Amino acid sequence: MLSIKNLKAEIGGKKILKGLSLEVAAGEVHAIMGPNGSGKSSFANVLAGHGGYEMTGGSINYLGKDLTEFNVEERAAEGLFLAFQYPMEIPGVSNIAMLKTAVNSIRKYRNEDELTAGAFLKVIKKKAALVEMKQELLKRSVNEGFSGGEKKRNEILQMAVLEPTLSVLDETDSGLDIDALKIVAHGVNTLRSPDRSMIVITHYQRLLDYIQPDYVHVLADGQIVKTGNKNLALELEERGYGWLEKQVVNG
Amino acid sequence: MTALHNFLIAQKQANEAAPEWLSSLQQVAFSQLKNRGLPSAQDEEWRLTRLTELYKQEFRPAIATNTLSLQKTLLTPSAGSRIVFVNGVLDTGLSDSSFVAGLAIEPLEQAVISDKLNLETFFNASPPLEQHGFLSANTAFSKSGYVIRISADSIIDNPIEIIFIANNTGPAAWHCRNIIVADQFSKATIIERHVANDTAETYLSNCVTELHLADGSHLDFYKYQDESLDAYHIGGVYSKQSRDSYLATNNIAIGSKIARTDIYATLSAEGAHCEMNGLSVLAGDQHVENCTEVIHAKPNCTSDEYYKSVLDDQARSVFRGRIIVAKDAQKTDANQQNKNLLLSSRAEADTKPQLEIYADDVKCAHGATVGQLEEKSVFYLRSRGVSETMARALLTFAFANDVIRRFHLADLQKQLSAQLADRILGEAASAIETDSLFGEPL
């Protein structure tokens, strides 16, 4: 589904990704862990097409297409979704209006008819229940006055509504208490299917107890330095990242 | 002497029907206007709004016109009382002020004669003592306008609408003076609309509204200014609030070539609260200056001011926000925010917060921003599949709608949001229409 080869990217002349390679097959969940500043969030942003990053090398192939040919909104319409680490607040536009705009924008791109109010409502009802989102939060402005947990649940709601093929979750677990974490993980797990893949970026092993990954990668200094199964996450929890960084330095 | 000043001075005529108190008041105002003239660019309070073009205009007095050609849309459907002025003259045919218990509405010219409302006490009692030329002109020449009194303990459910329509004006000028008196523990909503029929000529609407709020009264006041793009609108909303009264002045400006509106609030007894919301959405070479002043004269009063502007092309907005906290106005809680969104590199926003605090135990917060759309938010929306154009339009709408949603009148809020969506989102406005979704429980 996703094949990244030797990806290099920089922001404002600063090299961030220094030859990252990653293969994600359909139905797989990949966790990416790594110390602060290793390029995890940058990687997520580059995938989503953030204009601030310049891709200076390598390739990103997504479903047989060159992902870099698409702009941000086209990538979304092609089935890519990024759950933000810090979701934006948009006072003045309701959550539901934003969702409706997003759904219909994507349907238009795919030459599908816009959803009728009734059909849209049905979808929303179901998905909101999935992340235990109250109706009141749908009517409120996007993320405005939401708690940290509500914002993250809102990201998963958007993901559930847009039904992406490839989801990138950028530290969706940060700032969540255990109850919110369970709700978020439940939402994510419900969306797992053989034709959907996920990249879960996280700092903590804890999330991976709830969202079981097929692979765990360690990103350090803009490269993937180690790949393993979920036991690698446990090992990292115990030993930290220092030993891996040393390995990189020592060649 | 400018052409406009000469024209105004020539307007003086004896108003024989006026009671003596009014004649003498008008005489004083006339002398002030004559001696001091109209504000000039040298005037610190006026230097950011250039009126040179206005001053050169040759005006003539306003006349009532045939209203048959009037666009129906100018008269919004209304369940409550409605008073309509065309070119500054009361139009009884279009007005509808059937009897509502607790509510007295009278045209100014009648009210000064009948004096059922004891106008002498209120007339000119809320504006500042030091008055600029336009305010003097308004006092000196105000023959028409409306007077509303909401009697004690009365709650008027339906909003009262006052509509000022400019219709085939010619180069005319008019000066309406409106007075609203909310007696003790009364409650009402008043909407003042300033709109134009198909008229492409320069006119000047110099309109002053006074709000007098007695103890415990509650007034939700809207001023909606959508004048012709060739028009000048000089306006004032001056309020005086008594103990525990509540006032919201909501000031929406989307029309006119140049508009300057002064919104002054005096909190003259304890426990009064004043809310000021303002929104200007401008394009082309439109220019709007809002000059606000909140005077905390007594302790334990609160004020909350929220003004925004959206500026496209070479439009310009000026915001002045003065908060004065008097020496004994302890425990004042005053908040002022002014935010300006520039959609074009040629647009300009000036913002001048001005706090004068003479008490020592107060809370005063203020903030002012001038900027563009946040790129992070644009990226956020685009990452959800929304096109860049739509994302920007949606964020612009959100920025403006943020003010509208502070309004208390749900129907008006809905109407203004829809109008705003049409203006900013165009054909895409339907995309964010979600009313139909909430028709049934989720």
Side-chain angles (χ1 to χ4, degrees):
Chain A
M1 172 174 294
L2 181 70
S3 172
I4 299 173
K5 292 201 166 73
N6 200 26
L7 175 62
K8 290 177 184 168
E10 52 187 64
I11 186 164
K14 191 177 177 235
K15 292 184 174 62
I16 306 283
L17 299 179
K18 303 170 181 174
L20 184 152
S21 297
L22 180 70
E23 299 287 329
V24 178
E28 290 177 354
V29 172
H30 289 241
I32 295 185
M33 304 184 74
N36 284 331
S38 58
K40 300 192 298 296
S41 282
S42 296
F43 173 54
N45 280 317
V46 168
L47 279 182
H50 192 295
Y53 293 87
E54 195 194 342
M55 204 173 129
T56 51
S59 64
I60 309 175
N61 189 292
Y62 168 71
L63 294 174
K65 299 169 195 163
D66 179 359
L67 190 66
T68 61
E69 294 283 307
F70 298 105
N71 69 22
V72 185
E73 53 269 33
E74 288 165 349
R75 292 182 195 199
E78 291 285 336
L80 182 78
F81 182 86
L82 169 63
F84 279 57
Q85 183 179 3
Y86 303 110
M88 300 303 295
E89 295 186 9
I90 307 177
V93 166
S94 73
N95 219 357
I96 196 150
M98 181 220 183
L99 275 169
K100 187 166 165 251
T101 309
V103 167
N104 284 330
S105 297
I106 289 177
R107 293 183 71 90
K108 197 174 155 196
Y109 177 89
R110 294 177 183 164
N111 288 321
E112 295 166 355
D113 287 339
E114 291 195 353
L115 280 186
T116 62
F120 179 69
L121 195 65
K122 232 175 158 179
V123 174
I124 291 291
K125 258 190 211 174
K126 204 172 121 198
K127 308 292 183 175
L130 181 69
V131 291
E132 299 178 25
M133 174 86 73
K134 287 185 225 117
Q135 180 183 333
E136 186 232 328
L137 291 189
L138 291 173
K139 287 190 192 177
R140 282 240 296 269
S141 285
V142 179
N143 291 325
E144 191 195 29
F146 283 33
S147 69
E150 284 168 343
K151 281 183 185 170
K152 295 302 176 77
R153 261 151 59 189
N154 205 20
E155 292 296 285
I156 304 305
L157 170 67
Q158 292 172 18
M159 175 177 155
V161 170
L162 299 179
E163 300 189 321
T165 310
L166 175 66
S167 302
V168 182
L169 278 63
D170 188 8
E171 300 208 14
T172 300
D173 54 333
S174 65
L176 291 190
D177 62 30
I178 192 71
D179 292 327
L181 186 68
K182 281 181 185 166
I183 294 170
V184 163
H186 173 68
V188 172
N189 286 329
T190 311
L191 291 169
R192 279 180 88 155
S193 81
D195 49 8
R196 261 187 215 148
S197 310
M198 293 177 192
I199 296 173
V200 180
I201 294 170
T202 181
H203 232 50
Y204 308 103
Q205 185 273 333
R206 190 179 68 156
L207 176 70
L208 306 180
D209 285 342
Y210 299 95
I211 303 173
Q212 302 247 335
D214 298 297
Y215 298 93
V216 174
H217 309 277
V218 178
L219 184 64
D221 195 27
Q223 283 179 310
I224 287 182
V225 295
K226 194 164 179 70
T227 295
N229 60 18
K230 62 182 177 175
N231 293 327
L232 176 59
L234 291 168
E235 194 178 349
L236 290 168
E237 184 83 352
E238 215 158 277
R239 298 177 64 187
Y241 296 107
W243 59 287
L244 285 169
E245 285 172 299
K246 261 179 223 134
Q247 278 184 359
V248 177
V249 172
N250 297 336
Chain B
M1 284 286 153
T2 62
L4 178 60
H5 190 221
N6 286 334
F7 162 76
L8 291 174
I9 295 302
Q11 294 310 298
K12 196 192 179 199
Q13 46 180 283
N15 182 359
E16 275 149 24
E20 209 194 307
W21 63 265
L22 182 59
S23 299
S24 59
L25 199 65
Q26 292 189 318
Q27 183 57 46
V28 171
F30 181 80
S31 309
Q32 274 181 0
L33 171 67
K34 197 173 169 190
N35 300 333
R36 291 196 208 148
L38 295 166
S40 77
Q42 275 77 51
D43 207 326
E44 171 56 32
E45 296 288 305
W46 286 79
R47 66 180 181 87
L48 296 175
T49 294
R50 295 210 159 253
L51 296 171
T52 329
E53 287 300 311
L54 169 67
Y55 290 169
K56 278 192 226 158
Q57 294 282 332
E58 296 289 340
F59 279 101
R60 58 170 173 70
I63 45 160
T65 59
N66 186 341
T67 54
L68 286 177
S69 63
L70 219 53
Q71 297 167 34
K72 291 280 179 293
T73 50
L74 295 176
L75 296 171
T76 45
S78 139
S81 305
R82 179 166 74 195
I83 312 173
V84 181
F85 293 85
V86 177
N87 300 347
V89 180
L90 178 74
D91 188 311
T92 43
L94 297 172
S95 301
D96 172 13
S97 56
S98 38
F99 175 78
V100 175
L103 177 65
I105 307 182
E106 262 193 300
L108 182 71
E109 54 262 61
Q110 270 175 33
V112 293
I113 297 165
S114 74
D115 210 27
K116 281 188 290 201
L117 305 171
N118 189 20
L119 220 48
E120 190 180 350
T121 323
F122 301 107
F123 199 103
N124 216 31
S126 61
L129 293 173
E130 191 67 29
Q131 306 194 341
H132 58 67
F134 287 103
L135 189 48
S136 301
N138 185 284
T139 305
F141 303 120
S142 57
K143 270 197 300 194
S144 70
Y146 65 88
V147 178
I148 294 178
R149 187 152 189 172
I150 307 123
S151 49
D153 303 309
S154 297
I155 292 170
I156 311 300
D157 292 323
N158 290 319
I160 303 152
E161 280 207 80
I162 318 293
I163 309 179
F164 292 92
I165 304 176
N167 182 40
N168 304 321
T169 59
W174 55 86
H175 316 266
C176 292
R177 172 67 69 108
N178 314 307
I179 294 165
I180 299 167
V181 180
D183 282 329
Q184 290 191 7
F185 302 103
S186 65
K187 189 176 179 187
T189 300
I190 295 172
I191 308 167
E192 212 182 85
R193 289 179 193 268
H194 300 263
V195 293
N197 199 23
D198 291 325
T199 173
E201 284 164 300
T202 299
Y203 62 89
L204 165 66
S205 170
N206 177 23
C207 180
V208 171
T209 302
E210 296 189 52
L211 313 174
H212 298 270
L213 282 81
D215 290 359
S217 61
H218 182 121
L219 182 64
D220 193 16
F221 179 81
Y222 298 84
K223 173 166 178 157
Y224 172 85
Q225 187 269 101
D226 189 10
E227 301 273 18
S228 149
L229 291 177
D230 295 294
Y232 293 83
H233 181 96
I234 309 284
V237 177
Y238 302 97
S239 62
K240 245 198 178 125
Q241 289 183 247
S242 201
R243 199 181 172 96
D244 299 327
S245 60
Y246 170 96
L247 171 67
T249 58
N250 306 287
N251 176 13
I252 307 113
I254 53 176
S256 81
K257 178 185 175 73
I258 293 182
R260 150 94 182 214
T261 301
D262 293 1
I263 309 265
Y264 280 48
T266 305
L267 303 167
S268 51
E270 287 198 47
H273 175 70
C274 167
E275 208 175 297
M276 287 184 172
N277 298 310
L279 174 65
S280 305
V281 181
L282 312 174
D285 59 355
Q286 284 183 285
H287 176 119
V288 169
E289 172 164 355
N290 286 310
C291 184
T292 72
E293 182 170 302
V294 183
I295 303 172
H296 282 264
K298 294 286 174 209
N300 294 310
C301 291
T302 51
S303 63
D304 189 7
E305 190 173 356
Y306 198 70
Y307 265 72
K308 278 188 163 187
S309 72
V310 177
L311 306 166
D312 205 348
D313 305 327
Q314 57 264 32
R316 186 174 177 194
S317 91
V318 180
F319 171 80
R320 294 172 191 267
R322 190 182 288 142
I323 298 175
I324 300 168
V325 182
K327 204 173 166 204
D328 68 340
Q330 301 297 0
K331 304 285 178 195
T332 287
D333 188 345
N335 184 31
Q336 179 193 87
Q337 298 296 326
N338 174 234
K339 298 178 185 182
N340 301 281
L341 175 60
L342 305 180
L343 298 176
S344 135
S345 58
R346 292 167 300 155
E348 187 181 334
D350 297 270
T351 173
K352 286 192 77 172
Q354 215 178 318
L355 275 64
E356 297 174 23
I357 301 169
Y358 303 104
D360 50 20
D361 184 15
V362 300
K363 213 167 101 186
C364 283
H366 73 103
T369 60
V370 178
Q372 286 141 322
L373 290 174
E374 233 184 307
E375 288 305 319
K376 275 193 222 160
S377 299
V378 176
F379 176 61
Y380 186 57
L381 287 176
R382 291 179 70 195
S383 78
R384 270 49 181 151
V386 180
S387 75
E388 180 168 2
T389 317
M390 180 66 181
R392 290 186 184 280
L394 202 57
L395 291 168
T396 304
F397 167 79
F399 180 89
N401 194 43
D402 181 37
V403 178
I404 308 272
R405 68 197 179 122
R406 294 166 74 93
F407 297 172
H408 301 292
L409 190 58
D411 284 351
L412 185 70
Q413 197 182 62
K414 207 179 278 180
Q415 188 193 355
L416 291 175
S417 276
Q419 192 189 352
L420 203 62
D422 267 349
R423 189 174 161 132
I424 295 171
L425 298 164
E427 277 176 21
S430 64
I432 58 155
E433 197 281 313
T434 56
D435 262 7
S436 54
L437 294 173
F438 292 112
E440 47 187 301
L442 276 168

